[in-house]
Amino acid sequence: MADRITANLPSRNFAATEAFYTRLGFRTTFRDDGWMILQRGGLVLEFFPHPDVDKWSSWFSACVRVDDVASLLAEWQQVGLPTDHKAIPRLTGIFKPGKAPRMFALVDEDGSLLRVIDNRDAGEAA
C-alpha cells in the first residue's frame, strides 16, 4: 500500500455516523468501540468516539480532493440534505473563494466540515 494520510473526525455515535455516510456511498471497512473507518473508492474517513462534541461549535474539518466535483455534488444532492447555511447537517453548492479551486462543502451530523475540492481546478492551491 502506498503512503497516505486520512482525516480523523469525531463521532458522537458510530451507528449514526455510519448511517449518514452510507447514504453518501461510503462503506465501513473497520469498526470497533474506539475507531471506525469508512471508505468510498479512494476516499477514506476515520472516526474516533467523541460523544460530547458540540456540532454547533465543532472546528473539525478535512479537505477531500476529487477529479469531478460537479458529479459528486450532483450525486450527494440526491440524498436530500438541507442547503440552509445554518443547518446541520448541510450541503452547499459549488463555490470558488478567491484564487482557491472550485469546491463545495458538506457538514456532517457532528458538525465536521468536509471541503470537497476540484483537483482539476487546483493549480497552485494543491
Side-chain angles (χ1 to χ4, degrees):
M1 176 183 294
D3 293 346
R4 64 190 177 129
I5 190 167
T6 60
N8 299 150
L9 300 172
S11 171
R12 291 177 298 162
N13 176 293
F14 277 175
T17 299
E18 186 176 43
F20 177 82
Y21 281 98
T22 295
R23 293 172 51 207
L24 299 173
F26 286 83
R27 65 181 177 81
T28 305
T29 60
F30 177 83
R31 180 176 167 185
D32 67 13
D33 290 341
W35 206 253
M36 180 171 64
I37 303 172
L38 304 179
Q39 185 169 357
R40 177 194 161 105
L43 305 179
V44 178
L45 297 173
E46 302 191 29
F47 295 88
F48 58 92
H50 192 338
D52 298 324
V53 71
D54 177 14
K55 67 181 182 178
W56 299 106
S57 63
S58 175
W59 50 266
F60 291 94
S61 69
C63 291
V64 178
R65 296 184 181 269
V66 298
D67 289 333
D68 192 348
V69 72
S71 289
L72 185 57
L73 175 60
E75 183 180 332
W76 286 3
Q77 285 172 327
Q78 298 303 309
V79 173
L81 294 173
T83 57
D84 180 320
H85 72 281
K86 293 183 181 180
I88 295 180
R90 71 178 168 270
L91 184 65
T92 73
I94 293 175
F95 59 95
K96 185 171 177 29
K99 293 183 180 181
R102 292 177 340 127
M103 65 182 76
F104 69 87
L106 169 76
V107 176
D108 73 11
E109 292 181 330
D110 296 309
S112 293
L113 166 65
L114 299 183
R115 292 173 194 88
V116 183
I117 300 169
D118 189 338
N119 274 336
R120 295 179 296 183
D121 191 29
E124 297 297 316

